[in-house]
Amino acid sequence: VQLQASGGGLVQAGGSLRLSCAASGRTIGTYAMGWFRQAPGKEREFVAVMTWTGADTFYADSVKGRFTISRGNAKNTVNLQMNSLKPEDTAVYYCAVRDYSGSEHSRVPSVYAYWGQGTLVTVSS
């Protein structure tokens, strides 16, 4: 599975951005797609996850109510709509695919087998 993330950029606080992640290759059997972010000097942090069917979503407390993960119009695409952005949302955002259900929660990075290259989001104050 190959993942291509896009949509990052520079935005003022309070603004919005939409990230997209396009999956290609052998996507059959994909269980979920998640978004993570990593700010300079910090560990990679869970943001949101959606099961591949779109039936279930889960968000980090820090983005709940501001970010929405959803299936895109294009095939095998997942979007992350980010509203009311804050300077602390500044980070490189990564999409990732989990290819099995398992017992570990999807907020754990190690359950994801495939990662995109990341897209930079910068929120100015």
Side-chain angles (χ1 to χ4, degrees):
V1 177
Q2 294 80 45
L3 301 174
Q4 181 71 41
S6 62
L10 173 64
V11 64
Q12 288 189 334
S16 299
L17 279 176
R18 188 177 72 175
L19 305 183
S20 292
C21 183
S24 60
R26 189 173 176 79
T27 57
I28 293 174
T30 295
Y31 174 69
M33 182 177 284
W35 284 95
F36 288 77
R37 66 188 182 186
Q38 188 165 19
K42 294 189 177 181
E43 293 187 354
R44 192 164 296 191
E45 171 188 38
F46 168 77
V47 174
V49 63
M50 185 182 72
T51 52
W52 198 238
T53 62
D56 296 298
T57 58
F58 183 78
Y59 297 90
D61 288 343
S62 59
V63 307
K64 200 174 296 182
R66 300 188 297 122
F67 291 11
T68 303
I69 188 170
S70 64
R71 294 296 297 265
N73 291 330
K75 186 180 179 181
N76 295 336
T77 299
V78 174
N79 295 331
L80 183 69
Q81 178 66 41
M82 306 186 296
N83 298 329
S84 302
L85 283 162
K86 305 175 181 179
E88 52 263 43
D89 294 319
T90 295
V92 176
Y93 283 70
Y94 299 90
C95 57
V97 159
R98 178 176 187 176
D99 57 2
Y100 71 101
S101 57
S103 59
E104 288 190 279
H105 197 281
S106 289
R107 60 175 171 261
V108 178
S110 61
V111 305
Y112 293 83
Y114 305 97
W115 292 83
Q117 84 288 2
T119 185
L120 176 62
V121 172
T122 303
V123 184
S124 62
S125 57

